[in-house]
Amino acid sequence: MESSPVLPKQAAQVGLAVDVVAFAMHAGELQVLLVKRGELPHAKVWALPGGFVQSGEELHEAALRELRTETTVTLEPRHLEQFYTFGEIGRDPRGRIVSVAHLAVLPHGAAKVEAGGHTVGAAWHSAHTPPPLAFDHQQILSRAIGRLQLRLEYANLALEFLPETFTLPELQVVYEAIGNRKLDKRNFRKRLLSLGILTPSGERRSGVGRPAQLYRKAKNVRVAAL
Amino acid sequence: MESSPVLPKQAAQVGLAVDVVAFAMHAGELQVLLVKRGELPHAKVWALPGGFVQSGEELHEAALRELRTETTVTLEPRHLEQFYTFGEIGRDPRGRIVSVAHLAVLPHGAAKVEAGGHTVGAAWHSAHTPPPLAFDHQQILSRAIGRLQLRLEYANLALEFLPETFTLPELQVVYEAIGNRKLDKRNFRKRLLSLGILTPSGERRSGVGRPAQLYRKAKNVRVAAL
DNA sequence: ACAAAAGTGTTGTTTCTACACCCATGT
DNA sequence: ACATGGGTGTAGAAACAACACTTTTGT
């Protein structure tokens, strides 16, 4: 399928992997998708979905594949980008394994996850206070949260966490959960509406209280890259 | 020196490389360090310094080594960080080669560069208008400039381009060269001084005109990561 | 009627931008 | 004296932060 690499003299023998930090909003909290490993090393420990890149497979394809086979996520990621490559020598006891870490955003409704592949469990966990993680995955997660917070503020990645139509209070919850802080309702509303990236639609009656206006993303999407 | 990787079933056979985008200021212009390749593919074409990661070598060590052996740079980089990993399948005709690209800042005075290793030339070139580059190095360079512009504004990376003491007009030139736009002298001066990251020292008489105040970086360095 | 959540404006502070002249030195 | 580059202040505009009450619905 491709020519085999002409590796020179003493290039390192490395394994190339991808790991995926998949975020979603559940119960007003920023959550991350974790799998419970079924194999050594770190069997029965929670870890990020991930694995080795296969021949003829692009990096982002490998990330998608791992997400789909290690868990049963029902929806497509709304956003997927590589954000850092972890290659420190001792990071994996099996040898020199370099992992290109990816950040994914899953839309609301991707709640049903099941284990698949070599995993014996899959579940959403609080992103800010996760369980103990295998390998250097805590470090990877922390860096992913940092990147997500950056992206939130200046590319409007928050919309990708919600269904197609949503209310402003729902959007505010996304900002608050990712930023881990409360925001003022009036200022938030002013700022978001003045950006002109939202268009209203019909109304909606939630369980209790006054019904909220529904919005959707405007035509002029601008999810700026880096 | 290390245990050989336990590579599973059909993991891809990949070569792992690093490339270095080394920036410096020369003649009031943002310049990038390029080498003229001595080997196929792309012999006699300008390229970023780079090469394969060796066993037992961390990624950033490999980046430093390539910088030191392919060119004779006299000074240590002031800043070195990985910024993106390029792994597209067709990017290198020799096979599947994944490159972790690094951004380096060399301080003023690193002007003398000579070819070394497998290269037949090494020289500084305009970063905004470089010559034709080998492989996907134009793409790597563009992304590096984008990252540098980001870092400039909110981590004060500009100081790393200058000698230990410098004048405000010199610093402004750095900002203008990286951002590729003119800045207002008064506003620039107000903003920088109000940050409180500069402390004055003695004076200096340049060739002509009124002598400028010299500054150095204050004690509270904050070169925020990511 | 009451509980619950949505919605709405103003004011003061800070930050950003635009803009033109005088100052200190070398020749 | 003059050429060269360094240095300075102000005013309007825009963005941001703090703050409390009214409205609409379901029960």
Side-chain angles (χ1 to χ4, degrees), chain B residues 10-226:
Chain B
Q10 55 172 338
Q13 178 87 336
V14 304
L16 181 67
V18 291
D19 284 305
V20 184
V21 186
F23 292 112
M25 290 294 307
H26 294 136
E29 184 187 51
L30 180 66
Q31 299 197 341
V32 62
L33 181 53
L34 299 178
V35 298
K36 185 169 270 184
R37 292 177 55 85
E39 297 177 331
L40 288 172
H42 295 289
K44 308 279 183 189
V45 177
W46 290 103
L48 298 169
F52 290 94
V53 177
Q54 297 184 353
S55 306
E57 189 180 48
E58 299 288 359
L59 296 176
H60 66 272
E61 291 172 353
L64 277 176
R65 176 179 51 75
E66 291 295 343
L67 197 55
R68 292 212 191 90
T69 60
E70 294 210 332
T71 71
T72 308
V73 198
T74 43
L75 299 178
E76 286 291 303
R78 288 281 191 81
H79 181 80
L80 181 69
E81 65 168 336
Q82 98 168 225
F83 67 94
Y84 199 77
T85 297
F86 295 82
E88 210 177 338
I89 284 175
R91 65 177 293 275
D92 191 312
R94 290 169 291 183
R96 184 75 185 271
I97 294 176
V98 171
S99 176
V100 182
H102 288 70
L103 184 162
V105 174
L106 295 181
H108 191 80
K112 314 110 196 152
V113 293
E114 294 169 19
H118 313 289
T119 65
V120 296
W124 293 101
H125 293 261
S126 162
H128 291 293
T129 57
L133 298 179
F135 306 109
D136 55 353
H137 287 189
Q138 175 60 57
Q139 194 187 138
I140 298 179
L141 172 58
S142 298
R143 200 166 192 119
I145 293 175
R147 182 68 148 243
L148 183 58
Q149 289 172 339
L150 272 190
R151 285 301 164 102
L152 185 62
E153 296 300 336
Y154 95 106
N156 45 293
L157 205 46
L159 303 184
E160 312 304 330
F161 282 89
L162 296 173
E164 199 188 345
T165 62
F166 51 87
T167 68
L168 279 178
E170 285 167 355
L171 186 57
Q172 182 172 351
V173 167
V174 175
Y175 274 85
E176 291 180 335
I178 295 176
N180 223 3
R181 63 199 172 114
K182 298 295 286 178
L183 297 175
D184 180 87
K185 200 193 336 183
R186 287 165 287 192
N187 294 337
F188 176 79
R189 175 171 291 260
K190 253 178 298 176
R191 185 156 54 89
L192 262 288
L193 290 179
S194 72
L195 290 179
I197 58 175
L198 302 182
T199 53
S201 52
E203 278 220 3
R204 167 207 218 177
R205 95 227 83 235
S206 53
V208 280
R210 173 173 173 176
Q213 174 66 260
L214 283 171
Y215 293 87
R216 66 180 71 242
K217 197 199 287 188
K219 298 294 173 292
N220 42 342
V221 281
R222 47 138 202 145
V223 182
L226 207 140

Side-chain angles (χ1 to χ4, degrees), chain A residues 30-107:
Chain A
L30 180 66
Q31 299 198 340
V32 62
L33 182 53
L34 299 177
V35 298
K36 184 170 271 184
R37 292 178 55 83
E39 296 177 331
L40 288 171
H42 295 291
K44 308 281 182 187
V45 178
W46 290 102
L48 298 168
F52 290 94
V53 177
Q54 297 185 352
S55 307
E57 187 181 49
E58 299 288 359
L59 296 176
H60 64 273
E61 291 171 353
L64 277 176
R65 176 179 51 76
E66 291 294 342
L67 198 55
R68 292 212 190 90
T69 60
E70 294 209 330
T71 70
T72 309
V73 199
T74 43
L75 300 178
E76 286 290 302
R78 287 280 191 81
H79 181 80
L80 181 68
E81 66 169 333
Q82 122 182 195
F83 68 94
Y84 200 77
T85 296
F86 295 82
E88 209 177 339
I89 284 175
R91 64 177 293 275
D92 191 312
R94 291 169 291 183
R96 185 74 186 270
I97 295 176
V98 171
S99 176
V100 181
H102 288 69
L103 184 161
V105 174
L106 295 181

